Structures are given as C-alpha cells and as structure tokens.
Amino acid sequence: MSVTAAKGFAAEGVAAGIKENGDADLALVVNRGPRLAAAGVFTANRVKAAPVLWSQQVVKGGQVSAVVLNSGGANACTGPEGFADTHATAEKAAEVLGHSAGEIAIASTGLIGVRLPMDKLLPGLEKAAAGLSAHGGEKAAIAIKTTDTVHKTAVVQGEGWTVGGMAKGAGMLAPGLATMLVVLTTDADIDTPGLDTALRAATRTTFDRVDSDGCMSTNDTVLLLASGASGITPAADVFAEAVRSVCDDLARQLIGDAEGASKDIRIEVINAATEDDAVEVGRSIARNNLLKCALHGEDPNWGRVLSAIGTTSAAFDPDKLNVAINGVWVCRNGSVGDDRDLVDMRYREVRITADLAEGSETAVIWANDLTADYVHENSAYSS
C-alpha cells in the first residue's frame, strides 16, 4: 500500500488534466497525525525548481501535514510566476484540507521551463482531497509517473510499526539524488531530528549511489513523514535500517526502470583507501559512455573500466588494479587476467568489481547501459 501502509496516512491520485494524454497526474498524501514530524533531502543542483525552494522552507519548520505532487510539469525555471503558482497550490491544499499552507510540501516533475496549468491543477486538488483514502497509496504512486513504465512502492514492517514509500524516476539519475520524487511515511513515533538523521544516512548510500546517465535534476525531492500513530518509538538504529531498506528497494526500482536500459550494472569498488575514493571510482565507471555501450553489446571490455579508474584522484597503483565482470577476473595486476570469453553477459544484471588494492573501504554504485532507445527517448522528450 505504499505511503498508506503506515497508520495515520491517507492518499489519492487523480487525473487533473495537467498531462494532455489524460493520465493520472496529481497526487495528495496527508498525515493525519497525531505527530506531524518531517524531514527532507533535496537536489544538489544550483538550479532549483520552485517547489523545491518552497518545500525546503516548509521542512525547516519541522512539520508537514500534507504533500501535493504533480507530474506533467516540473515548474522549474519559471521565474517569480512559477513560485507564485507553488504558493497558490499550497494555499489551495490548505483550504481544502483545513491545514496551514506553511505545513504543505509541494513536489513537481516533468518538462522544465513550462508553467503549470493552474486552472486544472487547483480544481484537481479538490478532487484529490475528496477521494483521500487509507488505501490510496497505489493511486498516488501511479499519478507521479512521467517516463516511468511502472509505479514504484516499497514497505518494511517493524515490530508494531511500518515504513512505506513511493517513488518516481526513470532518467536523469545521478548522484545528488536522481530525477526523482519520493515520499516515505512511518507510523513510528519519531521526532524531526530522528527522521532527519535516518533519512540523510539512507539517501547517502542508496539514492545518491544511483547513476544512470550522469545528469542531475532540478526537482529531486525525498520527504520522510512520521505520524506517530503506532505509539511506538523503535531504537534509532533499527528505525534507520528500515528507512535505508525502503530507500534501497526504491533506488533499485529506479535503476531497473531507467529509460531504454537493457542492463542493470552493479559496480562494486573494493579495497579502496577511503570510502570517498571508492565512491569516486564507482561513479567514474558508471559514467563511462564507452563502457556503457560495450555492456549494451554484451562486450566485457575491461580496458574501459581501467580507463575510467585512471581519470579519478583515488589512491591506487595501476599495476595492482584488478577487475572482475560477472565473477570472472578479466584483469589482474593491471593487465590481462582470465579469458574474457568466460564472462556470461546474457542476463540483465551485470556485476563489475574493481579492486584498488589500497585499503579496506568499499562502495556500490548502480548504473545502466546506454542504448538507442535512451537516445530516442531523450531526443524527442519536449516535442
């Protein structure tokens, strides 16, 4: 049930007419308490959409009573008028819900540089509010899809409490979050600082390590809301692991639905001097377009992995590097290893292991191959 798996939450997804094809495009998630604690993590892009700027201020207040999400338009790079549209959306939601506009977060996704059709969005909010249900999580998840082929939800059950979530995203997936909107909910009784700590720890090793195409969005938003409806306060580490698990599940679903992808690539960097080194190397491998093309063609071209490692500032000796593809160590000590013909590339998941032989730190980055379908999808996105 996604964001409504936890007690104290209601949701709805409707077709407001924002998308020309008539698909569902407006979602509403409401926290019915008794606690209204919230935390958020947003895009690191210096160009931020109006809803991101608005929601950053809302989250600073520590309470979020509702989230309005729309697909079909990013409301990014729309000037003062775009910010006024976001404000108007929050005011309308406050009116129909009986809440304060300062406690309503807004998230948008879609084409940049186009204002939202407020004459459709605002009446759509009334429709969404009228249909709110404790079973509306799936409809909300469907309503936030753009180029997604499937809606994305995840749930983890604790001992008498729950963490649930929904996400959208299929392209522009890169560190600094992804082109993603995520709402996580819990009925655990956790205060705002506790939510913030758990959320930041979770996004650091999940969403921030999904790198589909090296492009960072203007709209990335991850919100974690707590209703406290279970009356249970789990141990901080137990709660943090549940949040991480939901985020990890959703992150994997994002990479599995990446635009045009035919391979999911798991890049594990091992024996690095520092975790930062491991992450830098993993990201460099993930962003090597020559390698991504080779993997699409089921070519275990390990030389391109070494080339990517060589562009980083990580500590390593080129003559000690080892690389495995799908368990076959095709490169040993910076040179030819086992027979590359032993590498089985038939399956969707490709596993690359890069051994830096410098320490004991590790990191995993998820990426995907580069396909003609990806180029087609993004060559015609705005037309």
Side-chain angles (χ1 to χ4, degrees), residues 267-270 272 277-278 280-288 291 302-324 329 331 334 352-358:
I267 302 161
E268 183 176 20
V269 182
I270 63 173
D277 277 5
E280 182 185 0
V281 168
R283 288 177 177 172
S284 181
I285 296 169
R287 293 181 176 185
N288 188 293
L291 175 64
W302 58 267
R304 293 175 179 175
V305 178
L306 258 62
S307 294
I309 296 172
T311 66
T312 71
S313 61
F316 66 85
D317 180 341
D319 293 329
K320 294 182 179 179
L321 294 174
N322 305 295
V323 174
W329 290 94
C331 169
I352 295 174
T353 305
D355 177 4
L356 302 188
E358 281 288 339

Side-chain angles (χ1 to χ4, degrees), residues 319-370:
D319 293 329
K320 294 182 179 179
L321 294 174
N322 305 295
V323 174
I325 300 178
N326 286 350
V328 178
W329 290 94
V330 287
C331 169
R332 294 182 184 274
N333 297 318
S335 186
V336 179
D338 298 342
D339 187 349
R340 51 177 280 160
D341 290 340
L342 297 174
V343 180
D344 188 348
M345 300 285 289
R346 292 174 296 169
Y347 302 103
R348 178 159 182 124
E349 184 173 312
V350 177
R351 291 171 287 109
I352 295 174
T353 305
D355 177 4
L356 302 188
E358 281 288 339
S360 59
E361 296 298 319
T362 184
V364 174
I365 304 291
W366 281 91
N368 54 267
D369 57 343
L370 185 58

Side-chain angles (χ1 to χ4, degrees), residues 8-282:
F9 292 92
E12 173 66 314
V14 300
I18 301 169
K19 291 179 180 174
E20 293 183 358
N21 63 9
D23 285 350
D25 51 23
L26 185 64
L28 181 59
V29 179
V30 175
N31 184 353
R32 290 176 167 166
R35 186 186 281 278
L36 300 177
V41 179
F42 301 90
T43 181
N45 198 319
R46 292 171 61 194
V47 178
K48 291 178 171 60
V52 169
L53 296 173
W54 172 271
S55 296
Q56 284 179 316
Q57 293 304 311
V58 170
V59 168
K60 282 182 180 179
Q63 292 197 149
V64 173
S65 61
V67 186
V68 180
L69 309 96
N70 76 271
S71 55
N75 195 11
C77 307
T78 48
E81 295 83 3
F83 190 83
D85 290 342
T86 295
H87 189 179
T89 301
E91 291 285 357
K92 183 64 175 181
E95 175 191 327
V96 298
L97 295 172
H99 296 178
S100 166
E103 294 181 354
I104 296 176
I106 310 294
S108 301
T109 182
L111 188 63
I112 293 171
V114 179
R115 287 185 64 189
L116 294 172
M118 300 302 289
D119 60 328
K120 297 176 180 177
L121 191 154
L122 298 183
L125 262 176
E126 295 182 352
K127 180 180 178 182
L132 283 169
S133 165
H135 304 286
E138 185 173 19
K139 291 176 69 177
I142 292 170
I144 60 176
K145 291 167 53 183
T146 51
T147 57
D148 307 63
T149 64
V150 294
H151 60 285
K152 303 166 179 71
T153 65
V155 175
V156 168
Q157 300 286 349
E159 294 186 6
W161 53 275
T162 299
V163 177
M166 68 178 184
K168 69 78 49 185
M172 286 184 76
L173 305 180
L177 303 183
T179 298
M180 52 183 291
L181 303 183
V182 177
V183 178
L184 308 169
T185 58
T186 183
D187 49 21
D189 193 13
I190 307 292
D191 61 15
T192 294
L195 295 178
D196 187 72
T197 297
L199 182 62
R200 292 184 184 280
T203 56
R204 187 181 71 84
T205 59
T206 58
F207 297 129
D208 272 349
R209 295 188 184 177
V210 168
D211 199 320
S212 172
D213 52 19
C215 298
M216 186 189 298
S217 172
T218 56
N219 288 61
D220 309 332
T221 299
V222 182
L223 299 170
L224 172 57
L225 316 180
S227 69
S230 72
I232 298 172
T233 302
D237 60 336
V238 174
F239 177 70
E241 174 54 26
V243 174
R244 190 210 63 79
S245 181
V246 171
C247 290
D248 186 57
D249 190 335
L250 292 172
R252 284 293 313 278
Q253 292 182 57
L254 291 174
I255 205 69
D257 193 31
E259 292 168 349
S262 67
K263 302 287 187 185
D264 301 337
I265 307 168
R266 183 183 188 273
I267 302 161
E268 183 176 20
V269 182
I270 63 173
N271 298 325
T274 66
E275 183 182 14
D276 286 346
D277 277 5
V279 171
E280 182 185 0
V281 168

